[in-house]
Amino acid sequence: MRLAEMEAIMLNVGLAVFAGAIFFIIYDLAKKSNAGRFGTFILFFALGLGLAAFLIKTLVVEMIEGGGI
């Protein structure tokens, strides 16, 4: 396995771990602030948009560079 292949795999694993950590932080924030069902939804929607934008940007850059997905 080449170094570039290993880096690509570790990038995907790292992004998945990062996304999981972000969702856990949002959940913990909602739980500690007693946000309720609607407040929790708003927190996940608003803060999750930042994560979604980051992931979409990563995919778009990868597609533009010709690497495919």
Side-chain angles (χ1 to χ4, degrees):
M1 180 178 290
R2 295 194 148 159
L3 182 60
E5 294 170 345
M6 182 64 92
E7 288 175 351
I9 291 170
M10 292 309 295
L11 176 66
N12 291 335
V13 170
L15 285 175
V17 169
F18 175 69
I22 293 295
F23 281 119
F24 174 74
I25 290 169
I26 295 171
Y27 169 76
D28 192 47
L29 178 66
K31 184 178 171 186
K32 287 183 178 179
S33 66
N34 294 324
R37 189 176 290 177
F38 182 70
T40 301
F41 172 76
I42 294 298
L43 280 171
F44 271 103
F45 181 74
L47 298 176
L49 279 178
L51 175 64
F54 174 75
L55 295 175
I56 290 170
K57 178 196 68 98
T58 304
L59 291 175
V60 169
V61 168
E62 193 69 29
M63 291 171 69
I64 289 173
E65 290 178 350
I69 297 178

